[in-house]
């Protein structure tokens, strides 16, 4: 530090040849054959030599490099490592900015306990992750206004109305979370953005479904014995959603009852209990056919790992030129119950895994109608095999 300072002139820096050039006091200018130059400072901290970059030339001039070098030499004189201190400053600055991506993650963490499976499926966070954070994630949350939100969600506001609404709702939660942290945010920003975006034109469409009269023919066409076809057959036979079928583990089956863990069920707000599914004779036969394909106890294992994907059965129906979707078989089953049986409403809804009745009513009704559903599912299985279905009366 006792060596002479300010050895270089602005002209010498501008015309410097490739190599390293000392300005004194540990400040160096390095350049290469492409005339690209950069500044760096050499210091000794706790007996160890350190080099820290001070920026590229000409963006950082000779004068600016000298001022920066003197600042960090002062840090060294105080016995501190300038590189570590600069990194600390950068981290603190990032924290103080309170970027939306950090606020969103924090908001998600605080709400995990309220979400199904602690939010492991990612459905709460995915609208933000896919449609908001790519554009606004690195923006300080205090800077976000209705115009930012409008410009971000405008591309999907009408085309993906449901997703856009979810993203807007999640963003509103993030802003309220930021306000609770003491940040100066505009809590009306999402409402103002909605006013700018206008009324959504999209009308929700029901999932296309086969008429129940046509389901037996389709069911019997699934005769190749592939994993996909067997999964579709069991889905149709049990009228459950695709996720419980895809994640069916052999340990969940005992006799003619399949117990679906609560975390795999949807639409059962107000209950955390597992769901029992009575297996018809045909359903049990399908399970036996699928067992040779099982891996690690999972009945419908994927080709390489895990289970078959959520799109596997839908793509199969696509390839057959069908507009209907696997989820639609639940509607086919429900229509059959309504039109061809005299099943009580509570039993019919329970077959679909729905929670029927109000909170008080459910508190007194402890049954899941297993025996009634067992008879009904056997009738449904017989229908799919083209055995004549009779009116079911309980």
């Amino acid at each position: 530090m006792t060596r002479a300072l300010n050895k270089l002139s602005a002209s010498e820096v501008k015309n410097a040849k490739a190599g390293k050039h000392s300005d004194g006091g540990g400040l160096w200018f390095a350049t290469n054959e492409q005339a690209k130059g950069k500044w760096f400072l050499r210091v000794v901290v706790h007996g160890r030599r350190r080099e820290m970059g001070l920026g590229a030339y000409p963006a950082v001039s000779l004068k600016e490099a000298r001022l920066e070098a003197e600042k960090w030499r002062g840090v060294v004189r105080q016995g501190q490592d300038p590189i570590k201190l600069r990194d600390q400053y950068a981290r603190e600055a990032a924290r103080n900015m309170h970027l939306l991506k950090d606020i969103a993650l924090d908001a998600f963490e605080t709400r995990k306990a309220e979400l199904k499976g602690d939010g492991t499926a990612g459905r709460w966070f995915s609208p933000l992750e896919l449609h908001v954070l790519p554009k606004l994630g690195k923006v300080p949350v205090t800077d976000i206004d209705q115009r930012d939100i409008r410009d971000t969600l405008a591309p999907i506001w009408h085309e993906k109305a449901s997703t856009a609404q979810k993203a807007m709702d999640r963003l509103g939660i993030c802003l309220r979370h930021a306000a609770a942290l003491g940040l100066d945010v505009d809590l009306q920003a999402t409402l103002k953005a909605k006013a700018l975006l206008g009324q959504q034109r999209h009308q929700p469409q029901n999932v296309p479904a086969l008429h129940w009269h046509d389901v037996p023919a389709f069911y019997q066409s699934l005769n190749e014995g592939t994993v996909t076809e067997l999964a579709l057959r069991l889905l149709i036979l049990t009228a459950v959603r695709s996720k419980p079928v895809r994640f069916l583990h052999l340990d969940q089956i005992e006799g003619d009852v399949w117990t679906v863990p609560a975390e795999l069920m949807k639409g059962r707000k107000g209950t955390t209990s597992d769901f029992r599914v009575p297996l018809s004779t045909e359903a049990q036969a399908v399970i036996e056919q699928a067992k040779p394909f099982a891996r690690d106890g999972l009945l419908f294992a994927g080709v390489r790992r895990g289970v078959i994907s959520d799109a596997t059965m839908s793509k199969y129906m696509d390839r057959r030129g069908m507009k209907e979707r696997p989820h639609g078989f639940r509607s086919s089953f429900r229509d059959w119950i309504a039109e061809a049986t005299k099943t009580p409403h509570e039993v019919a809804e329970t077959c679909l895994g729905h929670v029927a009745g109000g909170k008080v009513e459910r508190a007194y009704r402890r049954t899941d109608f297993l025996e009634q559903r067992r008879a009904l599912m056997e009738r449904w299985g017989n229908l799919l095999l083209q055995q004549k279905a009779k009116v079911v009366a309980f």
Side-chain angles (χ1 to χ4, degrees):
M1 297 293 181
T2 59
R3 292 169 293 170
L5 300 176
N6 305 337
K7 293 181 181 180
L8 300 174
S9 67
S11 176
E12 288 174 325
V13 171
K14 182 177 181 180
N15 301 304
K17 295 180 179 180
K20 296 179 180 179
H21 309 274
S22 173
D23 188 54
L27 178 61
W28 289 79
F29 179 68
T31 186
N32 56 28
E33 289 80 0
Q34 287 76 38
K36 293 181 179 179
K38 62 180 181 180
W39 300 99
F40 66 92
L41 179 66
R42 284 180 178 169
V43 294
V44 177
V45 184
H46 307 310
R48 183 173 60 154
R49 191 173 82 169
R50 304 280 275 157
E51 286 189 2
M52 68 183 301
L54 299 181
Y57 178 83
V60 177
S61 67
L62 173 61
K63 180 179 179 181
E64 290 170 329
R66 285 171 175 169
L67 290 172
E68 192 72 4
E70 180 54 33
K71 179 180 76 174
W72 295 115
R73 283 194 290 258
V75 169
V76 174
R77 287 193 291 269
Q78 295 173 10
Q80 298 185 69
D81 186 323
I83 296 177
K84 289 184 177 180
L85 187 61
R86 184 170 62 180
D87 290 344
Q88 179 185 331
Y89 288 161
R91 289 192 298 270
E92 291 175 353
R95 282 197 298 269
N96 291 336
M97 285 180 69
H98 296 292
L99 304 182
L100 177 61
K101 64 182 181 67
D102 299 322
I103 294 293
L105 285 170
D106 194 43
F108 177 50
E109 286 295 328
T110 61
R111 280 158 180 77
K112 275 188 174 181
E114 307 169 16
L115 305 175
K116 184 177 178 180
D118 284 339
T120 52
R123 292 183 177 180
W124 191 94
F125 197 71
S126 60
L128 288 171
E129 187 174 35
L130 295 176
H131 302 290
V132 176
L133 298 184
K135 293 183 178 180
L136 297 179
K138 295 182 179 179
V139 178
V141 69
T142 53
D143 291 349
I144 293 175
D145 61 22
Q146 63 270 23
R147 289 176 293 276
D148 297 320
I149 300 172
R150 175 199 61 190
D151 296 343
T152 298
L153 295 180
I156 64 169
W157 188 247
H158 298 293
E159 299 301 320
K160 298 180 179 180
S162 177
T163 300
Q165 187 60 58
K166 288 178 182 177
M168 185 75 80
D169 292 342
R170 305 293 194 272
L171 188 51
I173 291 173
C174 292
L175 293 177
R176 291 194 293 274
H177 186 78
L181 291 172
L183 303 178
D184 185 16
V185 295
D186 183 0
L187 291 175
Q188 303 298 315
T190 53
L191 291 176
K192 296 174 185 175
K194 286 181 180 180
L196 293 175
L197 288 163
Q199 186 70 31
Q200 291 177 313
R201 290 191 299 269
H202 175 78
Q203 295 296 324
Q205 301 292 322
N206 292 327
V207 176
L210 279 176
H211 191 282
W212 65 267
H213 284 294
D214 301 322
V215 177
F218 175 75
Y219 178 85
Q220 293 186 44
S221 74
L222 303 172
N223 54 15
E224 297 295 327
T226 64
V227 171
T228 301
E229 288 189 343
L230 290 169
L232 258 175
R233 286 171 64 185
L234 189 63
L235 180 142
I236 296 170
L237 283 161
T238 58
V240 301
R241 291 179 171 85
S242 65
K243 185 174 183 179
V245 171
R246 292 188 301 112
F247 284 90
L248 192 157
H249 197 283
L250 292 173
D251 289 345
Q252 297 168 3
I253 298 173
E254 185 174 350
D256 66 349
V257 175
W258 166 27
T259 302
V260 182
E263 60 268 20
L264 294 180
M265 295 298 294
K266 179 185 177 182
R268 288 173 61 81
K269 187 175 181 180
T271 178
T272 58
S273 59
D274 299 337
F275 179 61
R276 296 194 297 174
V277 179
L279 297 170
S280 64
T281 303
E282 176 66 5
Q284 294 176 68
V286 170
I287 290 170
E288 288 301 317
Q289 292 179 57
K291 281 183 178 179
F293 299 104
R295 185 176 64 239
D296 299 327
L298 293 167
L299 192 63
F300 300 112
V303 176
R304 296 181 179 84
R305 58 186 177 83
V307 299
I308 59 175
S309 76
D310 193 30
T312 300
M313 290 181 277
S314 293
K315 288 180 179 178
Y316 174 88
M317 297 176 75
D318 270 338
R319 290 194 296 272
R320 294 187 55 167
M322 301 174 67
K323 68 180 185 299
E324 292 83 7
R325 287 295 174 264
H327 189 80
F329 290 114
R330 287 166 56 82
S331 296
S332 306
F333 172 75
R334 188 65 179 85
D335 288 345
W336 168 74
I337 291 178
E339 295 178 12
T341 79
K342 295 180 180 179
T343 305
H345 174 77
E346 294 83 357
V347 177
E349 289 299 295
T350 303
C351 284
L352 297 175
H354 294 163
V355 179
K359 185 176 181 180
V360 174
E361 181 183 349
R362 295 197 306 270
Y364 284 94
R365 187 182 68 231
R366 306 298 174 88
T367 182
D368 63 356
F369 306 108
L370 183 65
E371 293 305 319
Q372 294 97 318
R373 290 190 290 127
R374 179 180 278 118
L376 189 63
M377 300 314 287
E378 194 67 37
R379 294 278 185 165
W380 175 241
N382 290 340
L383 174 72
L384 297 177
L385 295 174
Q386 290 189 335
Q387 295 182 21
K388 188 175 180 180
K390 299 178 180 178
V391 172
V392 180
F394 295 112

